[in-house]
């Protein structure tokens, strides 16, 4: 839900790859949305939030699949959750 989250995720995965650790993340759609909105750091609408969440989910699952196939790349593990009802 935060602006710039795609770039931060890519940076974290690259750091994990270079440093040789498993990047573990709990990705929660809508967590702390009301508090962060006051800071002006969130996407302007739910649709943009959903796009960013789905992109992060896809990137993390791709990293996991890539590792399981024995290919080079970052290692990751993820727990997916949401605070949204729909």
């Amino acid at each position: 839900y935060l602006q710039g989250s795609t770039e931060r995720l890519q940076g974290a995965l690259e750091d994990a790859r270079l440093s040789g650790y498993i990047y573990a993340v709990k990705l929660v759609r809508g967590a702390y949305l009301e508090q962060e909105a006051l800071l002006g750091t969130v996407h302007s609408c739910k649709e943009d939030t959903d796009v960013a969440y789905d992109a992060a989910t896809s990137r993390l699952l791709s990293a996991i699949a890539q590792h399981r196939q024995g290919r080079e790349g970052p290692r990751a593990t993820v727990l997916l959750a949401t605070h949204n009802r729909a």
Side-chain angles (χ1 to χ4, degrees), residues 10-27:
Q10 190 57 40
L13 287 170
E14 182 63 10
D15 187 58
R17 184 186 70 80
L18 293 172
S19 300
Y21 64 87
I22 299 171
Y23 181 64
V25 62
K26 178 171 69 171
L27 189 62

Side-chain angles (χ1 to χ4, degrees), residues 36-80:
E36 295 286 349
L38 297 173
L39 300 174
T41 58
V42 299
H43 290 285
S44 59
C45 63
K46 183 180 181 302
E47 291 76 21
D48 289 348
T49 299
D50 289 345
V51 167
Y53 181 89
D54 293 347
T57 299
S58 178
R59 179 63 188 102
L60 289 161
L61 293 177
S62 291
I64 293 167
Q66 188 174 348
H67 175 70
R68 288 187 176 202
Q69 294 168 356
R71 298 189 339 227
E72 288 292 319
R75 295 181 64 196
T77 186
V78 63
L79 178 126
L80 302 172

